[in-house]
Amino acid sequence: MLVETIATLGSHSALQILKGAKDEGFKTLVISLKDRLKLYSRFKFIDDVVEVGSFDELLDNKVQDILKRHNCVFIPHGTLISEQKLEDFERKFEVPVFGNRWIFRWEADRDLKQKLMAEAGLKTPRLFKFPREIDRAVIAKLPGAAGGRGYFVALSYEDFQAKVRELLNKGVLKEEDVDSISIQEYVVGVTIYPHFFYSPLTNEVELLGVDRRYESNVDAIARLPASEQLELKLIPTYRVVGNIPIVLRESLLIDVLEAAERFVEASKKLVSPGIIGPFCLEGICDENGEVYFFEFSARIVAGTNLYINGSPYSYLIYNEPMSMGRRIAREIKLAMQANRLDDILT
Ligand code: AMP
């Protein structure tokens, strides 16, 4: 099979993915909504722009035929997970996908997600099945909350009930969703989001960068003096606004890399052929240096956009600027040369 073009949806990390593809010698194509056409046509490394009315049209024959005609490989990112019916994508999308197209559902579904993290033996925050069991600070995650909007912290059962009532009154929460709120122990610590790449060609996990997310309003609350915080009675929320870089103290790298390797093995066991390419384990490091993982992303995360020109970690492996986007394109190139595309595409 010949791969000529790298294609992706126009959002999230599209610029990074397509710049990396161009640097590795591929043609590039972006599927864009009308209001972003102007943005994507600014960049010389984007060869073709396909306009769609909505990202649902990715599965339309018209769009798929264009992708096939260009001999495309499609690179999934966060927008695919949040905006596509993933079962339809698995079955109806006939264009080769970089990565394991069946693993995205495991990211989107809370129970499947938990199962995979347990199989990997990751240390995870305690889950509370019933609000009555709450005996410490917890974070309550509303069903389907995208980007942490509408999450809240509760300190007890009574506090939880009061906040649920408040969110119901405000219309943020629907009555029928109350039972599916997931309640997790709130880990006090520093959030860390390491970006990994697993290569089936070399059977190695590479750490290519780490970021933190800057979230509104939780990261803004700390800028207010305590007296105003108390008076305003703000409920912390976790809508991601942007990403900031971080490097880990070196001793933490062992834990983080071992967790990633266990995750790769667990994914091979539960979602064949396992994770391929980029992924992120979303963690919090507490005061004892213990890292708890509360989430994973089974594809490129937007925090990698910090490192389009490479990161301190990617520089340890590559003596050239190596973004996650470029690393993906490099893997496709190497697989093509080794006649092993079947190992990286689904
Ligand atoms: P998520 O949507 O699960 O990625 O969570 C959004 C944000 O909520 C994270 O980036 C963290 O800041 C915060 N968060 C999630 N889970 C926990 C937890 N168990 N303890 C403390 N903070 C958390």
Side-chain angles (χ1 to χ4, degrees), residues 4-30 39-40 42-48 75 77 300 304-310 320-330 332-333:
E4 276 179 326
T5 308
I6 302 288
T8 196
L9 297 176
S11 66
H12 193 268
S13 45
L15 290 171
Q16 181 199 159
I17 290 169
L18 299 179
K19 173 73 169 73
K22 184 52 85 178
D23 288 344
E24 291 299 306
F26 290 100
K27 289 194 190 141
T28 58
L29 181 152
V30 68
L39 170 71
Y40 292 116
R42 277 172 191 271
F43 296 98
K44 296 206 170 43
F45 56 83
I46 299 181
D47 298 312
D48 285 289
I75 315 294
H77 56 54
I300 185 169
T304 58
N305 288 338
L306 282 166
Y307 305 119
I308 293 189
N309 203 30
E320 59 186 325
M322 185 58 71
S323 68
M324 190 63 83
R326 185 169 185 180
R327 181 66 188 85
I328 292 169
R330 176 72 55 92
I332 296 170
K333 200 161 91 178

Short mmCIF file of all heavy atoms in Angstrom, two decimals, residues 4-30 39-40 42-48 75 77 300 304-310 320-330 332-333:
data_model
loop_
_atom_site.label_atom_id
_atom_site.label_comp_id
_atom_site.label_asym_id
_atom_site.label_seq_id
_atom_site.Cartn_x
_atom_site.Cartn_y
_atom_site.Cartn_z
N GLU A 4 0.27 8.47 0.51
CA GLU A 4 0.79 9.72 -0.08
C GLU A 4 0.51 10.92 0.80
O GLU A 4 1.28 11.86 0.85
CB GLU A 4 0.11 9.95 -1.44
CG GLU A 4 0.77 9.20 -2.57
CD GLU A 4 0.07 9.44 -3.87
OE1 GLU A 4 -1.17 9.61 -3.88
OE2 GLU A 4 0.76 9.46 -4.90
N THR A 5 -0.66 10.83 1.50
CA THR A 5 -1.17 12.03 2.18
C THR A 5 -1.55 11.72 3.61
O THR A 5 -2.07 10.64 3.90
CB THR A 5 -2.43 12.54 1.43
OG1 THR A 5 -2.11 12.68 0.05
CG2 THR A 5 -2.92 13.87 1.98
N ILE A 6 -1.28 12.67 4.49
CA ILE A 6 -1.73 12.57 5.88
C ILE A 6 -2.91 13.53 6.03
O ILE A 6 -2.81 14.70 5.67
CB ILE A 6 -0.60 13.00 6.85
CG1 ILE A 6 0.64 12.13 6.66
CG2 ILE A 6 -1.09 12.99 8.30
CD1 ILE A 6 0.57 10.73 7.15
N ALA A 7 -4.02 13.00 6.58
CA ALA A 7 -5.24 13.82 6.71
C ALA A 7 -5.71 13.83 8.15
O ALA A 7 -5.51 12.86 8.90
CB ALA A 7 -6.34 13.24 5.83
N THR A 8 -6.33 14.93 8.54
CA THR A 8 -6.93 14.99 9.88
C THR A 8 -8.06 16.02 9.90
O THR A 8 -8.26 16.76 8.93
CB THR A 8 -5.85 15.29 10.95
OG1 THR A 8 -6.37 14.98 12.24
CG2 THR A 8 -5.41 16.75 10.93
N LEU A 9 -8.80 16.02 11.01
CA LEU A 9 -9.87 17.01 11.17
C LEU A 9 -9.26 18.35 11.55
O LEU A 9 -8.32 18.41 12.35
CB LEU A 9 -10.84 16.57 12.27
CG LEU A 9 -11.62 15.28 12.06
CD1 LEU A 9 -12.46 14.96 13.30
CD2 LEU A 9 -12.53 15.39 10.83
N GLY A 10 -9.83 19.42 11.05
CA GLY A 10 -9.28 20.76 11.30
C GLY A 10 -9.67 21.30 12.67
O GLY A 10 -10.62 22.06 12.80
N SER A 11 -8.91 20.91 13.68
CA SER A 11 -9.07 21.42 15.06
C SER A 11 -8.02 20.72 15.92
O SER A 11 -7.22 19.94 15.40
CB SER A 11 -10.48 21.14 15.61
OG SER A 11 -10.67 19.76 15.77
N HIS A 12 -8.02 21.02 17.23
CA HIS A 12 -7.24 20.30 18.24
C HIS A 12 -5.72 20.38 18.05
O HIS A 12 -5.08 21.25 18.61
CB HIS A 12 -7.71 18.84 18.28
CG HIS A 12 -7.22 18.05 19.46
ND1 HIS A 12 -6.07 17.31 19.43
CD2 HIS A 12 -7.72 17.89 20.70
CE1 HIS A 12 -5.88 16.74 20.60
NE2 HIS A 12 -6.87 17.06 21.39
N SER A 13 -5.15 19.46 17.24
CA SER A 13 -3.70 19.46 17.03
C SER A 13 -3.40 19.32 15.54
O SER A 13 -2.34 18.82 15.15
CB SER A 13 -3.05 18.33 17.83
OG SER A 13 -3.81 17.14 17.69
N ALA A 14 -4.35 19.76 14.71
CA ALA A 14 -4.23 19.57 13.25
C ALA A 14 -2.98 20.25 12.70
O ALA A 14 -2.26 19.67 11.87
CB ALA A 14 -5.47 20.10 12.55
N LEU A 15 -2.68 21.46 13.17
CA LEU A 15 -1.53 22.17 12.61
C LEU A 15 -0.24 21.42 12.88
O LEU A 15 0.61 21.25 12.01
CB LEU A 15 -1.47 23.60 13.17
CG LEU A 15 -2.58 24.53 12.68
CD1 LEU A 15 -2.57 25.84 13.46
CD2 LEU A 15 -2.43 24.80 11.19
N GLN A 16 -0.12 20.95 14.12
CA GLN A 16 1.08 20.18 14.49
C GLN A 16 1.20 18.89 13.65
O GLN A 16 2.28 18.56 13.15
CB GLN A 16 0.99 19.82 15.97
CG GLN A 16 2.18 19.05 16.46
CD GLN A 16 1.91 18.29 17.74
OE1 GLN A 16 2.62 17.34 18.04
NE2 GLN A 16 0.94 18.66 18.52
N ILE A 17 0.09 18.18 13.52
CA ILE A 17 0.10 16.90 12.79
C ILE A 17 0.51 17.13 11.33
O ILE A 17 1.35 16.41 10.78
CB ILE A 17 -1.31 16.24 12.87
CG1 ILE A 17 -1.59 15.76 14.31
CG2 ILE A 17 -1.45 15.10 11.87
CD1 ILE A 17 -3.03 15.35 14.56
N LEU A 18 -0.07 18.16 10.72
CA LEU A 18 0.18 18.37 9.29
C LEU A 18 1.56 18.97 9.04
O LEU A 18 2.23 18.65 8.06
CB LEU A 18 -0.93 19.24 8.69
CG LEU A 18 -2.33 18.60 8.81
CD1 LEU A 18 -3.40 19.50 8.24
CD2 LEU A 18 -2.39 17.22 8.15
N LYS A 19 2.04 19.81 9.96
CA LYS A 19 3.41 20.33 9.83
C LYS A 19 4.40 19.16 9.91
O LYS A 19 5.35 19.07 9.12
CB LYS A 19 3.68 21.35 10.95
CG LYS A 19 5.11 21.84 11.02
CD LYS A 19 5.43 22.79 9.87
CE LYS A 19 6.74 23.52 10.04
NZ LYS A 19 7.91 22.69 9.82
N GLY A 20 4.15 18.27 10.87
CA GLY A 20 5.03 17.10 11.03
C GLY A 20 5.00 16.21 9.79
O GLY A 20 6.03 15.68 9.37
N ALA A 21 3.82 16.06 9.22
CA ALA A 21 3.67 15.22 8.03
C ALA A 21 4.46 15.81 6.86
O ALA A 21 5.16 15.11 6.13
CB ALA A 21 2.20 15.09 7.67
N LYS A 22 4.35 17.13 6.73
CA LYS A 22 5.08 17.79 5.64
C LYS A 22 6.59 17.65 5.85
O LYS A 22 7.33 17.35 4.92
CB LYS A 22 4.65 19.27 5.60
CG LYS A 22 5.21 20.08 4.47
CD LYS A 22 5.02 19.47 3.10
CE LYS A 22 3.69 19.79 2.48
NZ LYS A 22 3.50 19.25 1.14
N ASP A 23 7.04 17.83 7.08
CA ASP A 23 8.48 17.70 7.37
C ASP A 23 9.00 16.30 7.04
O ASP A 23 10.19 16.12 6.78
CB ASP A 23 8.76 18.00 8.86
CG ASP A 23 8.61 19.47 9.18
OD1 ASP A 23 8.59 20.29 8.23
OD2 ASP A 23 8.50 19.81 10.37
N GLU A 24 8.11 15.32 7.09
CA GLU A 24 8.52 13.94 6.78
C GLU A 24 8.28 13.59 5.31
O GLU A 24 8.41 12.43 4.92
CB GLU A 24 7.78 12.96 7.69
CG GLU A 24 8.22 13.04 9.14
CD GLU A 24 9.70 12.70 9.35
OE1 GLU A 24 10.14 11.63 8.91
OE2 GLU A 24 10.41 13.54 9.93
N GLY A 25 7.85 14.58 4.53
CA GLY A 25 7.75 14.38 3.08
C GLY A 25 6.39 13.94 2.56
O GLY A 25 6.27 13.55 1.40
N PHE A 26 5.35 14.00 3.39
CA PHE A 26 4.01 13.62 2.91
C PHE A 26 3.26 14.84 2.38
O PHE A 26 3.57 15.99 2.73
CB PHE A 26 3.18 13.02 4.06
CG PHE A 26 3.65 11.67 4.50
CD1 PHE A 26 4.45 11.54 5.64
CD2 PHE A 26 3.31 10.53 3.78
CE1 PHE A 26 4.89 10.30 6.06
CE2 PHE A 26 3.75 9.27 4.20
CZ PHE A 26 4.54 9.16 5.34
N LYS A 27 2.24 14.57 1.57
CA LYS A 27 1.26 15.61 1.26
C LYS A 27 0.30 15.70 2.43
O LYS A 27 0.18 14.75 3.22
CB LYS A 27 0.49 15.25 -0.01
CG LYS A 27 1.31 15.36 -1.25
CD LYS A 27 0.39 15.31 -2.46
CE LYS A 27 1.21 15.18 -3.71
NZ LYS A 27 0.59 14.29 -4.67
N THR A 28 -0.40 16.83 2.54
CA THR A 28 -1.25 17.02 3.71
C THR A 28 -2.65 17.49 3.31
O THR A 28 -2.81 18.22 2.32
CB THR A 28 -0.64 18.07 4.65
OG1 THR A 28 -0.47 19.27 3.91
CG2 THR A 28 0.70 17.63 5.21
N LEU A 29 -3.62 17.05 4.08
CA LEU A 29 -5.01 17.41 3.79
C LEU A 29 -5.74 17.65 5.11
O LEU A 29 -5.59 16.87 6.06
CB LEU A 29 -5.66 16.27 3.01
CG LEU A 29 -7.11 16.40 2.55
CD1 LEU A 29 -7.34 15.56 1.28
CD2 LEU A 29 -8.11 15.98 3.63
N VAL A 30 -6.53 18.73 5.17
CA VAL A 30 -7.31 18.99 6.38
C VAL A 30 -8.79 19.03 6.03
O VAL A 30 -9.18 19.54 4.98
CB VAL A 30 -6.84 20.29 7.09
CG1 VAL A 30 -7.18 21.53 6.27
CG2 VAL A 30 -7.43 20.40 8.49
N LEU A 39 -8.25 30.07 8.30
CA LEU A 39 -7.12 29.72 9.17
C LEU A 39 -6.20 28.72 8.48
O LEU A 39 -4.99 28.94 8.35
CB LEU A 39 -7.64 29.13 10.49
CG LEU A 39 -6.58 28.51 11.40
CD1 LEU A 39 -5.70 29.60 12.01
CD2 LEU A 39 -7.21 27.65 12.50
N TYR A 40 -6.80 27.63 7.99
CA TYR A 40 -5.95 26.56 7.44
C TYR A 40 -5.31 26.94 6.10
O TYR A 40 -4.26 26.41 5.76
CB TYR A 40 -6.73 25.25 7.37
CG TYR A 40 -7.01 24.73 8.78
CD1 TYR A 40 -8.31 24.62 9.27
CD2 TYR A 40 -5.96 24.43 9.64
CE1 TYR A 40 -8.55 24.19 10.57
CE2 TYR A 40 -6.19 24.01 10.94
CZ TYR A 40 -7.49 23.89 11.40
OH TYR A 40 -7.72 23.49 12.68
N ARG A 42 -3.93 29.63 5.49
CA ARG A 42 -2.76 30.47 5.77
C ARG A 42 -1.45 29.70 5.73
O ARG A 42 -0.38 30.28 5.59
CB ARG A 42 -2.83 31.01 7.20
CG ARG A 42 -3.66 32.20 7.36
CD ARG A 42 -3.79 32.50 8.84
NE ARG A 42 -4.81 33.50 9.03
CZ ARG A 42 -4.58 34.81 9.02
NH1 ARG A 42 -3.37 35.27 8.88
NH2 ARG A 42 -5.57 35.65 9.15
N PHE A 43 -1.52 28.38 5.94
CA PHE A 43 -0.29 27.63 6.18
C PHE A 43 0.16 26.88 4.93
O PHE A 43 -0.60 26.07 4.38
CB PHE A 43 -0.48 26.68 7.36
CG PHE A 43 -0.74 27.42 8.64
CD1 PHE A 43 -2.03 27.61 9.11
CD2 PHE A 43 0.32 27.99 9.35
CE1 PHE A 43 -2.27 28.32 10.28
CE2 PHE A 43 0.08 28.71 10.51
CZ PHE A 43 -1.21 28.88 10.98
N LYS A 44 1.40 27.14 4.54
CA LYS A 44 1.89 26.57 3.27
C LYS A 44 2.08 25.07 3.36
O LYS A 44 2.16 24.39 2.34
CB LYS A 44 3.21 27.26 2.90
CG LYS A 44 3.01 28.73 2.63
CD LYS A 44 4.07 29.30 1.70
CE LYS A 44 3.72 30.70 1.25
NZ LYS A 44 3.21 31.59 2.31
N PHE A 45 2.19 24.53 4.57
CA PHE A 45 2.40 23.08 4.66
C PHE A 45 1.09 22.29 4.51
O PHE A 45 1.10 21.08 4.55
CB PHE A 45 3.11 22.71 5.97
CG PHE A 45 2.41 23.18 7.22
CD1 PHE A 45 1.37 22.44 7.76
CD2 PHE A 45 2.78 24.36 7.84
CE1 PHE A 45 0.72 22.86 8.91
CE2 PHE A 45 2.13 24.81 8.98
CZ PHE A 45 1.10 24.04 9.53
N ILE A 46 -0.02 23.01 4.32
CA ILE A 46 -1.29 22.30 4.08
C ILE A 46 -1.60 22.36 2.58
O ILE A 46 -1.76 23.43 2.01
CB ILE A 46 -2.44 22.92 4.91
CG1 ILE A 46 -2.10 22.81 6.40
CG2 ILE A 46 -3.77 22.22 4.59
CD1 ILE A 46 -3.15 23.35 7.34
N ASP A 47 -1.65 21.16 1.96
CA ASP A 47 -1.82 21.12 0.51
C ASP A 47 -3.28 21.19 0.10
O ASP A 47 -3.63 21.82 -0.89
CB ASP A 47 -1.20 19.82 -0.05
CG ASP A 47 0.29 19.76 0.21
OD1 ASP A 47 0.97 20.77 -0.05
OD2 ASP A 47 0.77 18.71 0.71
N ASP A 48 -4.17 20.51 0.83
CA ASP A 48 -5.58 20.46 0.43
C ASP A 48 -6.49 20.69 1.61
O ASP A 48 -6.23 20.17 2.70
CB ASP A 48 -5.92 19.07 -0.16
CG ASP A 48 -5.35 18.92 -1.55
OD1 ASP A 48 -5.87 19.57 -2.47
OD2 ASP A 48 -4.36 18.17 -1.69
N ILE A 75 -5.36 10.68 10.73
CA ILE A 75 -4.82 10.76 12.09
C ILE A 75 -5.93 11.24 13.04
O ILE A 75 -6.39 12.38 12.94
CB ILE A 75 -3.63 11.75 12.20
CG1 ILE A 75 -2.65 11.57 11.04
CG2 ILE A 75 -2.96 11.63 13.57
CD1 ILE A 75 -1.91 10.27 11.00
N HIS A 77 -7.67 12.62 16.52
CA HIS A 77 -7.29 13.42 17.70
C HIS A 77 -8.53 13.66 18.55
O HIS A 77 -9.58 13.04 18.31
CB HIS A 77 -6.55 14.70 17.30
CG HIS A 77 -7.28 15.59 16.34
ND1 HIS A 77 -8.55 16.05 16.56
CD2 HIS A 77 -6.89 16.11 15.13
CE1 HIS A 77 -8.91 16.83 15.55
NE2 HIS A 77 -7.93 16.86 14.66
N ILE A 300 -3.26 11.43 20.28
CA ILE A 300 -2.49 12.64 20.54
C ILE A 300 -3.31 13.59 21.43
O ILE A 300 -4.52 13.73 21.24
CB ILE A 300 -2.08 13.31 19.20
CG1 ILE A 300 -1.16 14.52 19.44
CG2 ILE A 300 -3.28 13.70 18.36
CD1 ILE A 300 -0.53 15.05 18.14
N THR A 304 0.52 18.46 23.48
CA THR A 304 1.72 18.28 22.64
C THR A 304 1.95 19.50 21.75
O THR A 304 3.04 19.67 21.20
CB THR A 304 1.61 17.03 21.75
OG1 THR A 304 0.43 17.16 20.93
CG2 THR A 304 1.49 15.76 22.57
N ASN A 305 0.92 20.35 21.58
CA ASN A 305 1.09 21.56 20.75
C ASN A 305 2.16 22.49 21.30
O ASN A 305 2.65 23.36 20.60
CB ASN A 305 -0.24 22.33 20.65
CG ASN A 305 -1.24 21.61 19.76
OD1 ASN A 305 -0.85 20.80 18.92
ND2 ASN A 305 -2.51 21.88 19.94
N LEU A 306 2.50 22.31 22.58
CA LEU A 306 3.59 23.10 23.16
C LEU A 306 4.92 22.81 22.47
O LEU A 306 5.82 23.63 22.49
CB LEU A 306 3.76 22.73 24.63
CG LEU A 306 2.77 23.29 25.63
CD1 LEU A 306 2.90 22.55 26.94
CD2 LEU A 306 3.05 24.77 25.84
N TYR A 307 5.03 21.61 21.93
CA TYR A 307 6.36 21.13 21.53
C TYR A 307 6.45 20.87 20.03
O TYR A 307 7.00 19.87 19.60
CB TYR A 307 6.70 19.85 22.31
CG TYR A 307 6.59 20.05 23.81
CD1 TYR A 307 5.70 19.30 24.57
CD2 TYR A 307 7.38 21.00 24.46
CE1 TYR A 307 5.60 19.49 25.95
CE2 TYR A 307 7.29 21.19 25.84
CZ TYR A 307 6.40 20.43 26.57
OH TYR A 307 6.29 20.62 27.93
N ILE A 308 5.91 21.78 19.25
CA ILE A 308 5.97 21.61 17.79
C ILE A 308 7.43 21.60 17.33
O ILE A 308 7.79 20.95 16.36
CB ILE A 308 5.15 22.73 17.10
CG1 ILE A 308 3.66 22.50 17.42
CG2 ILE A 308 5.37 22.72 15.59
CD1 ILE A 308 2.69 23.35 16.66
N ASN A 309 8.26 22.28 18.08
CA ASN A 309 9.68 22.31 17.74
C ASN A 309 10.48 21.34 18.60
O ASN A 309 11.69 21.45 18.73
CB ASN A 309 10.20 23.74 17.90
CG ASN A 309 11.42 23.98 17.07
OD1 ASN A 309 11.58 23.35 16.01
ND2 ASN A 309 12.32 24.83 17.54
N GLY A 310 9.81 20.38 19.21
CA GLY A 310 10.49 19.41 20.07
C GLY A 310 10.41 19.84 21.53
O GLY A 310 10.09 20.99 21.84
N GLU A 320 16.93 16.16 16.49
CA GLU A 320 16.25 17.07 15.57
C GLU A 320 14.91 17.38 16.19
O GLU A 320 14.45 16.64 17.07
CB GLU A 320 16.06 16.39 14.20
CG GLU A 320 15.24 15.11 14.31
CD GLU A 320 15.15 14.33 13.00
OE1 GLU A 320 15.11 14.95 11.94
OE2 GLU A 320 15.10 13.09 13.08
N PRO A 321 14.27 18.47 15.80
CA PRO A 321 12.97 18.81 16.38
C PRO A 321 11.96 17.70 16.09
O PRO A 321 11.76 17.36 14.93
CB PRO A 321 12.57 20.10 15.65
CG PRO A 321 13.82 20.61 15.04
CD PRO A 321 14.70 19.43 14.78
N MET A 322 11.40 17.10 17.14
CA MET A 322 10.48 15.98 16.91
C MET A 322 9.20 16.20 17.71
O MET A 322 9.12 15.90 18.90
CB MET A 322 11.14 14.67 17.33
CG MET A 322 10.34 13.42 17.02
SD MET A 322 9.91 13.22 15.28
CE MET A 322 11.51 12.83 14.56
N SER A 323 8.20 16.77 17.03
CA SER A 323 6.89 16.92 17.68
C SER A 323 6.18 15.57 17.66
O SER A 323 6.60 14.65 16.95
CB SER A 323 6.04 17.94 16.91
OG SER A 323 5.69 17.40 15.64
N MET A 324 5.09 15.46 18.40
CA MET A 324 4.31 14.23 18.33
C MET A 324 3.74 14.04 16.92
O MET A 324 3.71 12.94 16.39
CB MET A 324 3.17 14.29 19.36
CG MET A 324 2.45 12.98 19.55
SD MET A 324 3.50 11.66 20.18
CE MET A 324 3.47 11.97 21.94
N GLY A 325 3.34 15.14 16.31
CA GLY A 325 2.80 15.07 14.95
C GLY A 325 3.85 14.52 13.98
O GLY A 325 3.57 13.66 13.15
N ARG A 326 5.05 15.01 14.12
CA ARG A 326 6.12 14.54 13.23
C ARG A 326 6.47 13.08 13.53
O ARG A 326 6.76 12.30 12.62
CB ARG A 326 7.35 15.43 13.41
CG ARG A 326 8.44 15.07 12.45
CD ARG A 326 9.55 16.09 12.44
NE ARG A 326 10.51 15.76 11.41
CZ ARG A 326 11.59 16.45 11.15
NH1 ARG A 326 11.85 17.53 11.84
NH2 ARG A 326 12.42 16.08 10.20
N ARG A 327 6.41 12.73 14.82
CA ARG A 327 6.74 11.34 15.20
C ARG A 327 5.76 10.36 14.56
O ARG A 327 6.13 9.25 14.15
CB ARG A 327 6.72 11.22 16.73
CG ARG A 327 7.08 9.82 17.24
CD ARG A 327 8.51 9.47 16.93
NE ARG A 327 8.85 8.08 17.23
CZ ARG A 327 8.64 7.06 16.40
NH1 ARG A 327 8.09 7.25 15.20
NH2 ARG A 327 8.99 5.84 16.76
N ILE A 328 4.49 10.78 14.48
CA ILE A 328 3.46 9.94 13.84
C ILE A 328 3.82 9.72 12.37
O ILE A 328 3.85 8.60 11.87
CB ILE A 328 2.07 10.61 13.96
CG1 ILE A 328 1.60 10.63 15.42
CG2 ILE A 328 1.05 9.90 13.08
CD1 ILE A 328 0.36 11.49 15.69
N ALA A 329 4.14 10.84 11.70
CA ALA A 329 4.48 10.75 10.27
C ALA A 329 5.74 9.90 10.07
O ALA A 329 5.84 9.12 9.13
CB ALA A 329 4.67 12.15 9.70
N ARG A 330 6.70 10.05 11.00
CA ARG A 330 7.94 9.26 10.91
C ARG A 330 7.62 7.76 11.00
O ARG A 330 8.16 6.95 10.25
CB ARG A 330 8.88 9.69 12.03
CG ARG A 330 10.17 8.93 12.17
CD ARG A 330 11.20 9.21 11.09
NE ARG A 330 11.58 10.60 10.90
CZ ARG A 330 12.61 11.22 11.50
NH1 ARG A 330 13.38 10.56 12.32
NH2 ARG A 330 12.88 12.49 11.25
N ILE A 332 4.88 6.27 10.18
CA ILE A 332 4.22 5.82 8.94
C ILE A 332 5.27 5.62 7.84
O ILE A 332 5.26 4.63 7.11
CB ILE A 332 3.14 6.85 8.50
CG1 ILE A 332 2.02 6.90 9.56
CG2 ILE A 332 2.56 6.48 7.14
CD1 ILE A 332 1.03 8.04 9.38
N LYS A 333 6.21 6.55 7.79
CA LYS A 333 7.28 6.44 6.78
C LYS A 333 8.13 5.18 7.00
O LYS A 333 8.38 4.43 6.07
CB LYS A 333 8.16 7.70 6.87
CG LYS A 333 8.98 7.96 5.65
CD LYS A 333 9.46 9.41 5.62
CE LYS A 333 10.80 9.55 6.29
NZ LYS A 333 11.28 10.95 6.23
#
